[in-house]
Amino acid sequence: MSELVTGDAVVLGLRPAKLPSRALATAIDLILTGVVFGGVALGLAVAAGSLDDAAFAAVSVATFLLVPVGGPIAVETLSRGRSLGKLVCGLRVVRDDGGPIRFRHALVRGAMGVVELLMTLGVVAAVASLVSERGRRLGDVFAGTLVVRERVPAGRAVTVPPPPPWLVGRFASLDLSAVPDELWLAVRQYLTRMHQLDAAVGRAMSERLGREIVARTGVPAPAGVPAAAFLAAVVHERQARDARRAWQAAHAEELRGRAAGARFEGTPRPGGPGYGIPSPGAGKPGTLGSGAPVPEASPSGASASGAPGTRVPPYAAPPAPRPTGEGATPPATGFVPPV
């Protein structure tokens, strides 16, 4: 999956940053930039002591352009919108469509920041951020960027909305093995935050994510189905498959546990006949070597268990006594008496 979609997925779960958090992040960045600029300027002043005034002025201008202006631009470009102050405050600069910023966005923000932050001591940036609905300063407006919060409370997580009933089970035969986890995360994040997005932006994101799913599965979306409904149905199908696999794994584990327990119950216990240790009652008249009573033989030569020539195991329960006396019914032999 492209990094653009990953950026969209990350941003969909975030919210625009407010002025206090942005001011704190900017103050941290300005303090760090001032320290670096002072150190570089001091080093150049010592190294360029033999230069004339014109050369020293050129070096000073170059240092100003490289450190206070070029430094933030390079940091935001390389870190994809995370400076040290934004990293501390849990903020990030992204594009209006949710993707990560690039060099041109950072360049416009840095150039406007010289006017908004350095020349006016942040007054213009503060006023623009208060007036903007999403807290954007002029640099964000011209660059098409937005500062968002990356860290939000866990309790605000929203579940994925279910698909329309007429789409449930429609993609049961769809092959989802080629869809990576990053794309699933992107789709889930979009579905949980799609109602908070602008209608046009949300429609564009759903269509782009739908094309990614279609490219991975090789099956086009049904005609007339909105992209958001298609994504919800596909995610629902994947969740159903994951639930079935989890249930099958738990059921198989339960069966293995039962089989292991049955084998354990069938093994000879320590001190029993299987371990060569005489049991209580062994050697007494009327008992087997294990101490179990001797089964009574039937007239037909079969044992009390009913099977001819078999012996009752030592651990088997003794047979129930047969009724005796007058009127007692003789045991059935399986033969019809002669008439």
Side-chain angles (χ1 to χ4, degrees):
M1 183 181 62
S2 63
E3 191 173 11
L4 170 62
V5 179
T6 304
D8 293 342
V10 174
V11 173
L12 292 178
L14 306 177
R15 297 186 179 184
K18 301 300 181 180
L19 180 59
S21 58
R22 294 192 61 176
L24 179 59
T26 303
I28 295 175
D29 290 336
L30 289 178
I31 292 174
L32 180 62
T33 303
V35 171
V36 175
F37 177 71
V40 173
L42 181 61
L44 290 177
V46 174
S50 60
L51 298 178
D52 55 5
D53 295 339
F56 184 79
V59 172
S60 300
V61 173
T63 304
F64 176 78
L65 292 177
L66 289 176
V67 179
V69 180
I73 295 175
V75 170
E76 286 191 353
T77 303
L78 296 176
S79 63
R80 299 301 177 89
R82 295 185 186 94
S83 62
L84 180 61
K86 293 180 177 62
L87 186 62
V88 172
C89 298
L91 306 180
R92 182 185 178 187
V93 182
V94 296
R95 299 197 308 260
D96 282 338
D97 60 356
I101 66 172
R102 306 195 184 279
F103 173 73
R104 60 185 180 87
H105 305 96
L107 179 61
V108 175
R109 280 176 48 84
M112 293 299 301
V114 174
V115 179
E116 291 185 278
L117 301 175
L118 300 181
M119 294 185 178
T120 62
L121 300 179
V123 175
V124 176
V127 173
S129 181
L130 290 174
V131 173
S132 175
E133 181 181 357
R134 296 191 289 177
R136 301 199 301 174
R137 62 180 179 89
L138 295 181
D140 295 319
V141 175
F142 285 105
T145 57
L146 176 67
V147 180
V148 296
R149 291 183 294 166
E150 286 191 308
R151 295 195 293 265
V152 294
R156 296 184 182 180
V158 184
T159 58
V160 177
W166 49 276
L167 281 180
V168 175
R170 188 169 179 176
F171 304 101
S173 59
L174 191 63
D175 184 13
L176 304 177
S177 59
V179 182
D181 293 338
E182 293 81 4
L183 183 54
W184 288 122
L185 176 62
V187 175
R188 286 178 56 88
Q189 293 284 357
Y190 165 75
L191 292 175
T192 55
R193 299 296 182 184
M194 62 180 179
H195 298 295
Q196 302 176 4
L197 301 173
D198 181 74
V201 175
R203 190 182 309 109
M205 286 185 175
S206 63
E207 292 175 356
R208 184 164 61 249
L209 292 172
R211 289 193 296 268
E212 289 279 351
I213 293 291
V214 170
R216 297 289 183 174
T217 59
V219 179
V225 177
F230 170 69
L231 295 175
V234 173
V235 171
H236 180 270
E237 177 62 30
R238 183 178 188 264
Q239 291 176 341
R241 295 182 186 182
D242 291 343
R244 285 195 297 268
R245 282 194 293 267
W247 182 86
Q248 292 173 358
H251 185 63
E253 186 67 23
E254 182 181 0
L255 292 180
R256 286 194 294 268
R258 290 181 180 180
R263 289 195 300 268
F264 176 77
E265 292 178 358
T267 56
R269 294 185 175 88
Y275 284 80
I277 303 177
S279 302
K284 295 182 180 180
T287 62
L288 296 173
S290 61
V294 178
E296 185 177 355
S298 62
S300 60
S303 64
S305 61
T310 59
R311 296 183 60 184
V312 179
Y315 50 84
R322 292 181 298 176
T324 57
E326 298 182 359
T329 304
T333 60
F335 295 96
V336 180
V339 180

Short mmCIF file of all heavy atoms in Angstrom, two decimals, residues 73-129:
data_model
loop_
_atom_site.label_atom_id
_atom_site.label_comp_id
_atom_site.label_asym_id
_atom_site.label_seq_id
_atom_site.Cartn_x
_atom_site.Cartn_y
_atom_site.Cartn_z
N ILE A 73 12.41 23.66 7.90
CA ILE A 73 11.94 23.07 6.64
C ILE A 73 12.53 21.67 6.46
O ILE A 73 11.82 20.72 6.09
CB ILE A 73 12.33 23.99 5.47
CG1 ILE A 73 11.60 25.33 5.58
CG2 ILE A 73 12.03 23.33 4.14
CD1 ILE A 73 12.03 26.34 4.53
N ALA A 74 13.81 21.53 6.71
CA ALA A 74 14.45 20.21 6.57
C ALA A 74 13.89 19.21 7.58
O ALA A 74 13.65 18.04 7.24
CB ALA A 74 15.96 20.36 6.73
N VAL A 75 13.68 19.65 8.81
CA VAL A 75 13.17 18.73 9.84
C VAL A 75 11.77 18.26 9.49
O VAL A 75 11.46 17.06 9.58
CB VAL A 75 13.21 19.43 11.21
CG1 VAL A 75 12.46 18.60 12.24
CG2 VAL A 75 14.65 19.64 11.66
N GLU A 76 10.88 19.18 9.09
CA GLU A 76 9.52 18.77 8.76
C GLU A 76 9.47 17.90 7.51
O GLU A 76 8.63 17.00 7.41
CB GLU A 76 8.64 20.00 8.56
CG GLU A 76 8.28 20.71 9.87
CD GLU A 76 7.20 21.75 9.66
OE1 GLU A 76 6.84 22.01 8.49
OE2 GLU A 76 6.71 22.30 10.67
N THR A 77 10.37 18.13 6.57
CA THR A 77 10.39 17.30 5.37
C THR A 77 10.87 15.89 5.67
O THR A 77 10.27 14.90 5.22
CB THR A 77 11.28 17.93 4.29
OG1 THR A 77 10.83 19.26 4.01
CG2 THR A 77 11.28 17.11 3.02
N LEU A 78 11.94 15.78 6.44
CA LEU A 78 12.51 14.46 6.73
C LEU A 78 11.64 13.67 7.70
O LEU A 78 11.56 12.44 7.61
CB LEU A 78 13.93 14.62 7.28
CG LEU A 78 14.96 15.24 6.33
CD1 LEU A 78 16.30 15.43 7.03
CD2 LEU A 78 15.12 14.38 5.08
N SER A 79 11.02 14.35 8.65
CA SER A 79 10.20 13.66 9.65
C SER A 79 8.74 13.57 9.26
O SER A 79 7.92 13.10 10.07
CB SER A 79 10.32 14.38 11.00
OG SER A 79 9.81 15.70 10.91
N ARG A 80 8.38 14.02 8.06
CA ARG A 80 7.01 14.00 7.58
C ARG A 80 6.06 14.75 8.53
O ARG A 80 5.00 14.26 8.89
CB ARG A 80 6.52 12.58 7.36
CG ARG A 80 7.33 11.81 6.32
CD ARG A 80 7.28 12.53 4.97
NE ARG A 80 8.09 11.90 3.96
CZ ARG A 80 7.64 10.94 3.14
NH1 ARG A 80 6.42 10.50 3.27
NH2 ARG A 80 8.44 10.45 2.23
N GLY A 81 6.48 15.95 8.92
CA GLY A 81 5.60 16.81 9.69
C GLY A 81 5.77 16.75 11.19
O GLY A 81 4.93 17.30 11.91
N ARG A 82 6.84 16.13 11.69
CA ARG A 82 7.04 16.03 13.14
C ARG A 82 8.35 16.73 13.51
O ARG A 82 9.42 16.18 13.29
CB ARG A 82 7.11 14.57 13.58
CG ARG A 82 5.84 13.78 13.38
CD ARG A 82 6.01 12.40 13.98
NE ARG A 82 4.89 11.54 13.72
CZ ARG A 82 4.80 10.69 12.71
NH1 ARG A 82 5.81 10.61 11.84
NH2 ARG A 82 3.75 9.92 12.54
N SER A 83 8.25 17.90 14.07
CA SER A 83 9.42 18.55 14.66
C SER A 83 9.54 18.11 16.11
O SER A 83 8.70 17.35 16.62
CB SER A 83 9.29 20.07 14.57
OG SER A 83 8.16 20.52 15.30
N LEU A 84 10.59 18.56 16.78
CA LEU A 84 10.78 18.15 18.17
C LEU A 84 9.64 18.65 19.06
O LEU A 84 9.12 17.92 19.89
CB LEU A 84 12.13 18.66 18.70
CG LEU A 84 12.45 18.31 20.15
CD1 LEU A 84 12.50 16.80 20.32
CD2 LEU A 84 13.76 18.94 20.58
N GLY A 85 9.26 19.92 18.88
CA GLY A 85 8.15 20.44 19.68
C GLY A 85 6.85 19.73 19.40
O GLY A 85 6.08 19.41 20.34
N LYS A 86 6.55 19.41 18.15
CA LYS A 86 5.32 18.67 17.82
C LYS A 86 5.39 17.25 18.32
O LYS A 86 4.37 16.66 18.72
CB LYS A 86 5.09 18.71 16.31
CG LYS A 86 4.77 20.10 15.77
CD LYS A 86 4.56 20.06 14.27
CE LYS A 86 4.17 21.43 13.75
NZ LYS A 86 5.24 22.43 13.97
N LEU A 87 6.57 16.67 18.29
CA LEU A 87 6.71 15.32 18.82
C LEU A 87 6.45 15.28 20.32
O LEU A 87 5.82 14.34 20.83
CB LEU A 87 8.11 14.77 18.51
CG LEU A 87 8.39 13.31 18.86
CD1 LEU A 87 7.48 12.40 18.06
CD2 LEU A 87 9.84 12.97 18.61
N VAL A 88 6.92 16.29 21.05
CA VAL A 88 6.68 16.35 22.49
C VAL A 88 5.19 16.55 22.79
O VAL A 88 4.64 15.95 23.71
CB VAL A 88 7.53 17.46 23.11
CG1 VAL A 88 7.16 17.69 24.58
CG2 VAL A 88 9.01 17.12 23.01
N CYS A 89 4.55 17.40 22.02
CA CYS A 89 3.13 17.72 22.26
C CYS A 89 2.17 16.76 21.56
O CYS A 89 0.94 16.92 21.69
CB CYS A 89 2.84 19.14 21.80
SG CYS A 89 3.76 20.41 22.68
N GLY A 90 2.68 15.77 20.85
CA GLY A 90 1.80 14.82 20.17
C GLY A 90 1.10 15.40 18.96
O GLY A 90 -0.06 15.05 18.70
N LEU A 91 1.77 16.25 18.19
CA LEU A 91 1.18 16.89 17.02
C LEU A 91 1.91 16.44 15.76
O LEU A 91 3.00 15.89 15.82
CB LEU A 91 1.25 18.42 17.13
CG LEU A 91 0.65 19.04 18.40
CD1 LEU A 91 0.80 20.54 18.37
CD2 LEU A 91 -0.79 18.63 18.59
N ARG A 92 1.27 16.72 14.63
CA ARG A 92 1.88 16.37 13.34
C ARG A 92 1.26 17.24 12.26
O ARG A 92 0.06 17.55 12.30
CB ARG A 92 1.64 14.89 13.01
CG ARG A 92 2.28 14.45 11.70
CD ARG A 92 1.89 13.03 11.37
NE ARG A 92 2.46 12.60 10.11
CZ ARG A 92 2.17 11.43 9.53
NH1 ARG A 92 1.32 10.61 10.10
NH2 ARG A 92 2.72 11.10 8.38
N VAL A 93 2.07 17.62 11.28
CA VAL A 93 1.61 18.40 10.14
C VAL A 93 1.29 17.44 9.00
O VAL A 93 2.13 16.61 8.63
CB VAL A 93 2.66 19.43 9.69
CG1 VAL A 93 2.13 20.27 8.54
CG2 VAL A 93 3.06 20.33 10.86
N VAL A 94 0.09 17.56 8.44
CA VAL A 94 -0.34 16.72 7.33
C VAL A 94 -0.98 17.59 6.26
O VAL A 94 -1.26 18.77 6.49
CB VAL A 94 -1.35 15.64 7.80
CG1 VAL A 94 -0.70 14.68 8.78
CG2 VAL A 94 -2.57 16.29 8.43
N ARG A 95 -1.23 17.01 5.12
CA ARG A 95 -1.93 17.73 4.07
C ARG A 95 -3.42 17.80 4.37
O ARG A 95 -3.93 17.12 5.25
CB ARG A 95 -1.71 17.04 2.71
CG ARG A 95 -0.27 16.98 2.27
CD ARG A 95 -0.20 16.68 0.76
NE ARG A 95 -0.99 15.51 0.40
CZ ARG A 95 -0.48 14.31 0.20
NH1 ARG A 95 0.82 14.11 0.34
NH2 ARG A 95 -1.26 13.31 -0.16
N ASP A 96 -4.12 18.62 3.59
CA ASP A 96 -5.57 18.74 3.79
C ASP A 96 -6.29 17.42 3.54
O ASP A 96 -7.32 17.14 4.17
CB ASP A 96 -6.15 19.82 2.86
CG ASP A 96 -5.88 21.22 3.39
OD1 ASP A 96 -5.63 21.36 4.59
OD2 ASP A 96 -5.89 22.17 2.57
N ASP A 97 -5.77 16.60 2.62
CA ASP A 97 -6.41 15.32 2.34
C ASP A 97 -5.94 14.22 3.26
O ASP A 97 -6.31 13.06 3.09
CB ASP A 97 -6.16 14.92 0.88
CG ASP A 97 -4.67 14.77 0.57
OD1 ASP A 97 -3.84 15.05 1.45
OD2 ASP A 97 -4.35 14.37 -0.57
N GLY A 98 -5.10 14.54 4.23
CA GLY A 98 -4.66 13.56 5.22
C GLY A 98 -3.33 12.91 4.93
O GLY A 98 -2.84 12.15 5.75
N GLY A 99 -2.72 13.16 3.77
CA GLY A 99 -1.45 12.54 3.45
C GLY A 99 -0.27 13.25 4.09
O GLY A 99 -0.40 14.37 4.60
N PRO A 100 0.88 12.63 4.09
CA PRO A 100 2.07 13.26 4.67
C PRO A 100 2.56 14.41 3.80
O PRO A 100 2.41 14.40 2.58
CB PRO A 100 3.09 12.12 4.72
CG PRO A 100 2.66 11.18 3.64
CD PRO A 100 1.17 11.27 3.57
N ILE A 101 3.14 15.41 4.44
CA ILE A 101 3.61 16.58 3.71
C ILE A 101 4.92 16.25 2.99
O ILE A 101 5.62 15.30 3.34
CB ILE A 101 3.81 17.78 4.65
CG1 ILE A 101 4.94 17.49 5.66
CG2 ILE A 101 2.52 18.13 5.36
CD1 ILE A 101 5.32 18.70 6.49
N ARG A 102 5.23 17.08 2.00
CA ARG A 102 6.46 16.94 1.25
C ARG A 102 7.24 18.25 1.31
O ARG A 102 6.88 19.17 2.07
CB ARG A 102 6.16 16.53 -0.19
CG ARG A 102 5.29 15.27 -0.26
CD ARG A 102 5.29 14.66 -1.63
NE ARG A 102 4.38 13.52 -1.68
CZ ARG A 102 4.68 12.29 -1.27
NH1 ARG A 102 5.89 12.05 -0.77
NH2 ARG A 102 3.82 11.31 -1.35
N PHE A 103 8.31 18.33 0.53
CA PHE A 103 9.21 19.48 0.65
C PHE A 103 8.49 20.79 0.31
O PHE A 103 8.70 21.80 0.98
CB PHE A 103 10.41 19.28 -0.27
CG PHE A 103 11.31 20.49 -0.34
CD1 PHE A 103 12.13 20.83 0.72
CD2 PHE A 103 11.32 21.29 -1.49
CE1 PHE A 103 12.95 21.95 0.65
CE2 PHE A 103 12.14 22.41 -1.56
CZ PHE A 103 12.95 22.74 -0.48
N ARG A 104 7.66 20.79 -0.70
CA ARG A 104 7.02 22.04 -1.09
C ARG A 104 6.08 22.54 0.00
O ARG A 104 5.95 23.75 0.21
CB ARG A 104 6.27 21.87 -2.41
CG ARG A 104 5.18 20.82 -2.41
CD ARG A 104 4.59 20.64 -3.80
NE ARG A 104 3.55 19.64 -3.85
CZ ARG A 104 2.27 19.87 -3.60
NH1 ARG A 104 1.88 21.10 -3.28
NH2 ARG A 104 1.38 18.91 -3.68
N HIS A 105 5.42 21.65 0.72
CA HIS A 105 4.56 22.07 1.83
C HIS A 105 5.39 22.66 2.97
O HIS A 105 5.05 23.71 3.53
CB HIS A 105 3.73 20.90 2.34
CG HIS A 105 2.91 20.22 1.28
ND1 HIS A 105 3.35 19.10 0.63
CD2 HIS A 105 1.70 20.52 0.77
CE1 HIS A 105 2.43 18.71 -0.23
NE2 HIS A 105 1.41 19.56 -0.18
N ALA A 106 6.48 21.98 3.29
CA ALA A 106 7.35 22.49 4.35
C ALA A 106 8.00 23.81 3.95
O ALA A 106 8.21 24.69 4.80
CB ALA A 106 8.42 21.45 4.69
N LEU A 107 8.32 23.98 2.66
CA LEU A 107 8.94 25.22 2.21
C LEU A 107 7.99 26.40 2.36
O LEU A 107 8.37 27.48 2.84
CB LEU A 107 9.38 25.06 0.75
CG LEU A 107 10.03 26.29 0.11
CD1 LEU A 107 11.30 26.67 0.86
CD2 LEU A 107 10.32 26.02 -1.37
N VAL A 108 6.75 26.22 1.96
CA VAL A 108 5.76 27.30 2.10
C VAL A 108 5.51 27.62 3.56
O VAL A 108 5.42 28.80 3.96
CB VAL A 108 4.46 26.93 1.36
CG1 VAL A 108 3.39 27.99 1.59
CG2 VAL A 108 4.73 26.75 -0.13
N ARG A 109 5.39 26.59 4.38
CA ARG A 109 5.18 26.83 5.81
C ARG A 109 6.37 27.56 6.43
O ARG A 109 6.19 28.47 7.26
CB ARG A 109 4.96 25.50 6.53
CG ARG A 109 3.56 24.93 6.39
CD ARG A 109 3.46 23.56 7.06
NE ARG A 109 4.03 23.59 8.40
CZ ARG A 109 3.36 24.00 9.50
NH1 ARG A 109 2.11 24.42 9.39
NH2 ARG A 109 3.95 23.97 10.68
N GLY A 110 7.58 27.17 6.06
CA GLY A 110 8.76 27.82 6.63
C GLY A 110 8.90 29.27 6.17
O GLY A 110 9.25 30.15 6.97
N ALA A 111 8.61 29.53 4.89
CA ALA A 111 8.71 30.91 4.38
C ALA A 111 7.68 31.81 5.04
O ALA A 111 7.98 32.95 5.44
CB ALA A 111 8.53 30.91 2.87
N MET A 112 6.44 31.32 5.20
CA MET A 112 5.42 32.11 5.87
C MET A 112 5.69 32.21 7.37
O MET A 112 5.30 33.19 8.02
CB MET A 112 4.05 31.50 5.63
CG MET A 112 3.58 31.58 4.19
SD MET A 112 3.42 33.29 3.61
CE MET A 112 2.22 33.94 4.75
N GLY A 113 6.38 31.22 7.92
CA GLY A 113 6.70 31.28 9.34
C GLY A 113 7.67 32.39 9.69
O GLY A 113 7.67 32.88 10.82
N VAL A 114 8.52 32.77 8.74
CA VAL A 114 9.42 33.89 8.98
C VAL A 114 8.61 35.16 9.26
O VAL A 114 8.94 35.96 10.14
CB VAL A 114 10.37 34.08 7.78
CG1 VAL A 114 11.21 35.33 7.95
CG2 VAL A 114 11.24 32.85 7.60
N VAL A 115 7.53 35.36 8.49
CA VAL A 115 6.69 36.54 8.68
C VAL A 115 5.79 36.39 9.89
O VAL A 115 5.65 37.29 10.72
CB VAL A 115 5.87 36.81 7.40
CG1 VAL A 115 4.97 38.04 7.58
CG2 VAL A 115 6.80 36.98 6.21
N GLU A 116 5.16 35.22 10.01
CA GLU A 116 4.16 35.01 11.08
C GLU A 116 4.79 34.86 12.46
O GLU A 116 4.23 35.36 13.45
CB GLU A 116 3.33 33.76 10.77
CG GLU A 116 2.41 33.88 9.59
CD GLU A 116 1.55 32.66 9.44
OE1 GLU A 116 2.05 31.66 8.86
OE2 GLU A 116 0.41 32.67 9.89
N LEU A 117 5.90 34.18 12.55
CA LEU A 117 6.47 33.83 13.84
C LEU A 117 7.65 34.71 14.24
O LEU A 117 7.73 35.16 15.39
CB LEU A 117 6.89 32.36 13.83
CG LEU A 117 5.77 31.35 13.53
CD1 LEU A 117 6.35 29.95 13.43
CD2 LEU A 117 4.68 31.42 14.57
N LEU A 118 8.56 34.93 13.29
CA LEU A 118 9.79 35.64 13.65
C LEU A 118 9.61 37.16 13.59
O LEU A 118 9.98 37.87 14.54
CB LEU A 118 10.92 35.20 12.71
CG LEU A 118 11.27 33.69 12.76
CD1 LEU A 118 12.42 33.39 11.82
CD2 LEU A 118 11.60 33.26 14.18
N MET A 119 9.05 37.67 12.50
CA MET A 119 8.95 39.11 12.35
C MET A 119 7.86 39.73 13.21
O MET A 119 7.98 40.88 13.64
CB MET A 119 8.70 39.46 10.88
CG MET A 119 9.86 39.12 9.96
SD MET A 119 9.58 39.69 8.26
CE MET A 119 11.11 39.20 7.50
N THR A 120 6.79 39.02 13.45
CA THR A 120 5.68 39.56 14.25
C THR A 120 5.57 38.89 15.61
O THR A 120 4.56 39.07 16.30
CB THR A 120 4.35 39.38 13.50
OG1 THR A 120 4.11 37.99 13.29
CG2 THR A 120 4.41 40.09 12.16
N LEU A 121 6.59 38.11 15.99
CA LEU A 121 6.62 37.43 17.30
C LEU A 121 5.40 36.53 17.51
O LEU A 121 4.92 36.35 18.64
CB LEU A 121 6.71 38.45 18.43
CG LEU A 121 7.96 39.37 18.40
CD1 LEU A 121 7.91 40.35 19.56
CD2 LEU A 121 9.22 38.55 18.42
N GLY A 122 4.88 35.97 16.45
CA GLY A 122 3.79 35.01 16.54
C GLY A 122 2.41 35.61 16.65
O GLY A 122 1.43 34.86 16.79
N VAL A 123 2.29 36.94 16.58
CA VAL A 123 0.97 37.57 16.72
C VAL A 123 0.08 37.22 15.54
O VAL A 123 -1.10 36.86 15.71
CB VAL A 123 1.12 39.10 16.87
CG1 VAL A 123 -0.24 39.77 16.90
CG2 VAL A 123 1.91 39.43 18.13
N VAL A 124 0.59 37.34 14.33
CA VAL A 124 -0.20 37.03 13.14
C VAL A 124 -0.61 35.55 13.14
O VAL A 124 -1.76 35.22 12.81
CB VAL A 124 0.60 37.38 11.87
CG1 VAL A 124 -0.16 36.96 10.62
CG2 VAL A 124 0.91 38.86 11.83
N ALA A 125 0.29 34.68 13.51
CA ALA A 125 -0.04 33.25 13.54
C ALA A 125 -1.12 32.95 14.58
O ALA A 125 -2.03 32.13 14.34
CB ALA A 125 1.21 32.43 13.84
N ALA A 126 -1.05 33.60 15.74
CA ALA A 126 -2.05 33.37 16.78
C ALA A 126 -3.43 33.85 16.35
O ALA A 126 -4.44 33.17 16.55
CB ALA A 126 -1.63 34.05 18.08
N VAL A 127 -3.49 35.04 15.75
CA VAL A 127 -4.78 35.57 15.29
C VAL A 127 -5.36 34.69 14.19
O VAL A 127 -6.57 34.36 14.20
CB VAL A 127 -4.60 37.03 14.80
CG1 VAL A 127 -5.89 37.53 14.17
CG2 VAL A 127 -4.21 37.92 15.96
N ALA A 128 -4.54 34.27 13.24
CA ALA A 128 -5.03 33.42 12.16
C ALA A 128 -5.51 32.07 12.69
O ALA A 128 -6.52 31.52 12.22
CB ALA A 128 -3.94 33.21 11.11
N SER A 129 -4.82 31.54 13.68
CA SER A 129 -5.23 30.26 14.25
C SER A 129 -6.55 30.38 15.01
O SER A 129 -7.37 29.44 15.00
CB SER A 129 -4.13 29.72 15.17
OG SER A 129 -4.49 28.47 15.71
#
